Amino acid sequence: MVPAEPTQPEPSREEVDGRVSAMAATGIAWADFSATQVKYVFSCATSVYAHSCAFCAADGLYSSEYFTSGCTSPGDITNRCFTCDKALFPVTERVELPDGDLIDVTIDHGIAASNVVEFRLQSASGISRWKQVTILSSSQPWKVWNESGSSWCNWPSPSTANCDTNSEWSSIVLDPSTRFLFSKSKGLFGTHTDVYELSNLSARLTGGDRVTFRWVKD
């Protein structure tokens, strides 16, 4: 929706639902959302077949197979340990953000009017705790948040129920001082905490874009 003047007071940024956010947000870059790393893990290089109990007992790689086999001791020649020959294989995996999160980012061009940029927040099916994205600028801070399958834009009122997309003028979004603030519920008491701050929005966004942030791990 196109930015409009607020119709009711904005909740304090220092306190939301009685819970205070005291943690400073960590600066991140666009590349951090898709960063990957290669790890080497032991995996099967052959099909499963019967090994001797002594073979499995002597190699820590096969300890779990040994303890779940029928082997009574390393010298047991009556029973067998069923496993495969293992080798190191490279596995590429996502690098978590500093607080342990994974957030997918999708940018669709030409979706909105050319003088605005839309931003959307979604959470994966296994994510139920409160999440929020705010666009911070010299203008009104616009927000989208969700919790337990429901979402809102700026205030939790009937008029914003199920709203997961907000927008700001492209001239404001592309200003060097504008940034996205990512917040989430943390700890036993679910404190609403600012965790990440994304600047340099013009490096990826332009007028007419819709950027979707999808929280997939918290």
Side-chain angles (χ1 to χ4, degrees), residues 5-161:
E5 289 299 317
T7 57
Q8 51 183 304
E10 182 186 0
S12 168
R13 282 185 44 73
E14 299 300 323
E15 185 171 338
V16 181
D17 296 335
R19 290 166 288 185
V20 176
S21 171
M23 178 180 174
T26 300
I28 58 174
W30 286 103
D32 292 329
F33 293 111
S34 56
T36 60
Q37 62 185 355
V38 176
K39 286 188 174 181
Y40 286 85
V41 297
F42 282 100
S43 187
C44 286
T46 67
S47 58
V48 174
Y49 64 96
H51 284 288
S52 68
C53 294
F55 176 87
C56 288
D59 194 324
L61 283 176
Y62 304 101
S63 58
S64 61
E65 289 92 340
Y66 175 74
F67 288 114
T68 56
S69 71
C71 296
T72 58
S73 69
D76 185 347
I77 59 173
T78 302
N79 295 296
R80 290 290 182 268
C81 170
F82 289 88
T83 186
C84 59
D85 291 335
K86 297 181 180 181
L88 276 173
F89 291 93
V91 175
T92 300
E93 61 182 21
R94 296 268 300 274
V95 176
E96 296 176 350
L97 294 171
D99 203 57
D101 303 276
L102 291 175
I103 302 175
D104 291 340
V105 178
T106 303
I107 300 174
D108 296 306
H109 304 293
I111 297 295
S114 60
N115 60 348
V116 301
V117 173
E118 293 185 353
F119 62 99
R120 171 178 290 175
L121 174 64
Q122 299 175 337
S123 288
S125 58
I127 306 295
S128 61
R129 302 188 81 183
W130 179 88
K131 302 288 183 295
Q132 179 173 277
V133 173
T134 305
I135 191 162
L136 298 176
S137 67
S138 58
S139 181
Q140 169 72 30
W142 296 102
K143 306 178 181 184
V144 178
W145 74 86
N146 61 43
E147 186 173 20
S148 302
S150 297
S151 59
W152 298 268
C153 296
N154 279 74
W155 293 280
S157 66
S159 64
T160 68

